[in-house]
Amino acid sequence: MNKITAAITAVGAYVPDFVLTNKILETMVDTNDEWITSRTGIKERRLLKKEGAGTSYLAIKAAQDLIKKRNLDPKEIDAVIVATITPDVLVAATAVYVASEIGAENAFAYDLNAACSGFLYGMTTATALIESGRFKKILLIGADKMSSIIDYEDRSTSIIFGDGAGAVLFEPNTEGLGFIDQYLRGDGAGREALQIKAGGSILPPSVETVKTKDHFVQQDGKMVFKNAVSRMAEVSEVIMQRNNLSHDDVNWLVAHQANKRIIDATSNRMGIADEKVLMNIQRYGNTTSATLPLLLSDFESKLKKGDNIVFAAFGGGFTWGSIYLKWAYNTEHKN
Ligand code: UT7
């Protein structure tokens, strides 16, 4: 019998309607369109403004998009994993609520937090569940309502982040398509470079932490930038080398969308031509756990069965890594 691999067999996505343009940001903080565009590549991002709606709202919409496109019976889903750093509430897991709302009544469900690498780590987790032979359908969702943890008076973070969600379905494959290899890393020495200081077990919420704005994301942009550039390229090169992939063999680079300059530096070091680098940062900014599936959704029609895709991400923690996956379907043959 052929080895079971875990293939992505469907994608779905959702971004909210409200568009926060660079022009609007100019009226909120001391910044300008030219600076943001040239330093990050971002022109606009989407924000969820709906009263009382959290990350689950985005995740449910993305999952429902996938379910509709794939004509999937949600009762067949074995597990729902939501990668997020902005859960609806600290307890209970967002994924459990999402699973119930989409009708995945036979699924177990849990959240996964690895900051901007959450979806990448989730791909490894979903793959391991499929490869075990015990499970047939794993729904992996990357969703973040970043606007809930951003200080819109801080120009070092407010210009970067946006809200969104993407979902993929992993299923067994016996043609050798799907997940091939991964190289994931972590380094806790980086934890203060990108964090929310308060609200956790070290510094529980208090009047003081609200006053000092310690419930918002704070980052040492330069430090994160430097590490992202070197480490994303390093792991991607390892993945290419140990799978004997030349830059010609790689059909697509699907990289975390944090800053266009980080993506360009990574692809340059890998020797990947610009037209093979999927990019939508200009429209959504950095949606944290949602960047990778939003790329798959936006560019789904370009991806062909057998295409070699290298994924790469870097985020708070620090967490980072690269995954090599062979795409398993042609869009025109589906639906
Ligand atoms: O997924 C992981 C999440 N985070 C990241 O990946 C973020 C990684 N870091 C970055 O993308 C970049 O470091 C930023 C976009 C955050 C900042 O870009 P930078 O090129 O590192 O800018 P900088 O902080 O070194 O600032 C350069 C100049 C400074 O002015 P002076 O001192 O040279 O006069 C800043 O005060 O640009 C100024 N500046 C701004 N100007 C207009 C900083 N932020 C802004 C701004 N608008 N928003």
Side-chain angles (χ1 to χ4, degrees):
M1 203 186 100
N2 285 344
K3 182 178 177 283
I4 297 171
T5 51
I8 292 177
T9 58
V11 304
Y14 176 75
V15 289
D17 295 334
F18 181 81
V19 181
L20 179 63
T21 61
N22 290 349
K23 283 279 162 214
I24 301 176
L25 270 170
E26 284 179 7
T27 67
M28 297 162 67
V29 283
D30 181 15
T31 191
N32 58 79
D33 177 45
E34 200 284 317
W35 192 96
I36 302 172
T37 307
S38 62
R39 306 297 274 201
T40 70
I42 302 166
K43 296 298 278 184
E44 58 190 42
R45 2 43 222 119
R46 299 300 185 98
L47 264 51
L48 180 60
K49 294 281 194 183
K50 191 177 161 59
E51 189 76 28
T55 292
S56 65
Y57 182 87
L58 305 166
I60 290 164
K61 292 267 191 198
Q64 286 170 338
D65 181 44
L66 181 152
I67 287 166
K68 188 160 166 250
K69 276 166 69 188
R70 175 61 206 281
N71 199 15
L72 175 72
D73 178 357
K75 292 192 189 66
E76 290 178 9
I77 298 170
D78 296 304
V80 176
I81 303 171
V82 174
T84 188
I85 61 164
T86 53
D88 281 2
V89 289
L90 281 181
V91 180
T94 302
V96 182
Y97 178 70
V98 171
S100 294
E101 288 297 302
I102 62 172
E105 57 191 57
N106 296 310
F108 63 97
Y110 55 92
D111 293 354
L112 188 157
N113 178 344
C116 291
S117 306
F119 190 83
L120 196 84
Y121 279 35
M123 288 174 71
T124 296
T125 309
T127 291
L129 291 172
I130 296 287
E131 286 176 348
S132 75
R134 288 199 181 94
F135 307 103
K136 302 277 180 271
K137 287 184 171 54
I138 308 294
L139 183 66
L140 172 65
I141 305 170
D144 270 305
K145 184 183 167 186
M146 293 304 293
S147 59
S148 65
I149 52 169
I150 293 301
D151 173 8
Y152 285 93
E153 290 177 354
D154 177 357
R155 69 178 182 173
S156 73
T157 53
S158 59
I159 59 152
I160 295 175
F161 293 100
D163 303 340
V168 303
L169 185 69
F170 276 93
E171 291 186 271
N173 183 284
T174 49
E175 297 175 89
L177 300 170
F179 192 102
I180 308 289
D181 196 11
Q182 56 87 20
Y183 186 50
L184 305 185
R185 312 294 300 145
D187 182 359
R191 95 162 160 174
E192 285 177 12
L194 178 53
Q195 66 172 182
I196 296 176
K197 276 193 199 146
S201 53
I202 294 179
L203 193 57
S206 66
V207 171
E208 196 51 36
T209 59
V210 172
K211 267 195 206 145
T212 49
K213 293 193 167 193
D214 283 336
H215 294 278
F216 291 123
V217 172
Q218 292 164 11
Q219 70 166 351
D220 177 346
K222 272 202 181 313
M223 168 85 134
V224 177
F225 186 94
K226 221 175 66 194
N227 277 277
V229 165
S230 61
R231 291 176 151 178
M232 253 164 72
E234 264 163 38
V235 289
S236 304
E237 282 184 329
V238 169
I239 280 292
M240 285 172 72
Q241 274 162 18
R242 72 183 189 196
N243 291 283
N244 294 318
L245 290 172
S246 74
H247 51 83
D248 284 336
D249 298 325
V250 176
N251 298 99
W252 309 105
L253 172 65
V254 179
H256 175 53
Q257 309 282 293
N259 185 319
K260 184 175 183 296
R261 289 186 293 140
I262 297 175
I263 304 163
D264 289 344
T266 305
S267 59
N268 285 340
R269 212 165 116 192
M270 293 166 71
I272 307 288
D274 285 354
E275 61 271 19
K276 294 179 173 184
V277 182
L278 302 190
M279 194 93 74
N280 58 13
I281 191 170
Q282 65 281 7
R283 287 188 288 140
Y284 308 135
N286 180 352
T287 53
T288 303
S289 307
T291 59
L292 301 182
L294 278 176
L295 284 171
L296 294 179
S297 174
D298 279 1
F299 292 93
E300 187 184 17
S301 62
K302 282 183 177 280
L303 309 176
K304 299 284 170 254
K305 188 170 176 176
D307 277 359
N308 292 316
I309 305 182
V310 174
F311 292 82
F314 181 89
F318 293 133
T319 55
W320 71 103
S322 180
I323 281 174
Y324 167 33
L325 176 139
K326 273 186 181 290
W327 197 245
Y329 64 88
N330 295 320
T331 309
E332 60 270 25
H333 294 155
K334 293 184 68 77
N335 301 326

